[in-house]
Amino acid sequence: MSMNRELNSRLFTQREEQLAHVEYKDEFGFYNIVVQGNIEAVKKAFVSPDYVGLYDEPQYGQLSKDSLRNMRYHFVVSVSLITRLCVEHGLERELAYTLSDLYIGKMDLLQKPGEILSLHNEMLLDFTVKMANLPKTSVYSIQVVRAIEYIYRHRNERLTVESAASALGVNRSYLSALFARETGRSMGSFIRSEKIKAAANMLKFSDYSYAEVSEYFGFASQSHFIQCFKKEMGVTPREYRRKHWSSDMEM
C-alpha cells in the first residue's frame, strides 16, 4: 500500500472511530510550563511510573505496534520538542542538545516501561529547572543578549571582554558600560562567574584533575583558578568535589 493510500485509510478509520491526537494547544500548553520554568506545575503533571499503558491510548498516536518501542519513540519526540523550545527561549544550544542526547541514550538502555516514565519525569524537571535558572534576559538590549549568548558558547576559551566585543563587532568600552548598566555587574565578572559555574559541574560529574579543569576553561594558572573558584563558590575546588562527588555520581 502506498503512503498516501495508507494515510487516507488511517484518517478514515480515525474519523469513524472518533479518534484524534492530543489537541495542539493542550500539548504546547504543557510544554510551555517547562519553557516558563514552572517547577511546581511540572511536578503536578508527572505521570505515575505505574501508568505503563499511557502511550497506548489513541490520542497519543501509535508510533509502533510494540508497546515498549512506542513508548521509546514518544520519549524521543517529547525530549526533542522540549529541547528546541527551550533553545528558542534562551537555553544555551549546546547545553540543551547535549542534555537531550544524554537522556535519549539513558532511555535507550531501559527495559521497563515504568523506568522510562520515571526518566521522562526526571527529564521534564531537569529542563524546567534549567529554564527557571536562566538569567532574565528579556529586559536586556540585543547587544547584551548577544554578549551573554557568546559567553555561554565560548566560556571554555581564554575569553576576555576585548575578545568578546571584537567577535560581536561592538566597541569594547560601549559594550562594557552597557553590560554593567543593564545587568548590574561587570562583563569580566560575569565571564569569570560563568566559567566557574561550568567548572563546578565538571568537578561534580567527571574525574578530571583540577589542573585539567583549569586549563580547559582557559585560566592562566591552576592557582588563579583556585583563587577565582573560592571567591565564587566559597570553597576550594578540592573541598567542592569532596562535598558533591559521591552523592551526585551515584544518581
Side-chain angles (χ1 to χ4, degrees), residues 137-146 174 178 182:
T137 59
S138 58
V139 297
Y140 298 158
S141 64
I142 187 62
Q143 293 95 333
V144 170
V145 170
R146 288 178 61 217
Y174 168 77
L178 185 66
E182 294 188 8

Side-chain angles (χ1 to χ4, degrees), residues 57-69:
E57 296 183 2
Q59 68 265 32
Y60 289 103
Q62 186 184 57
L63 305 181
S64 172
K65 292 182 179 179
D66 179 87
S67 182
L68 183 61
R69 188 175 292 116

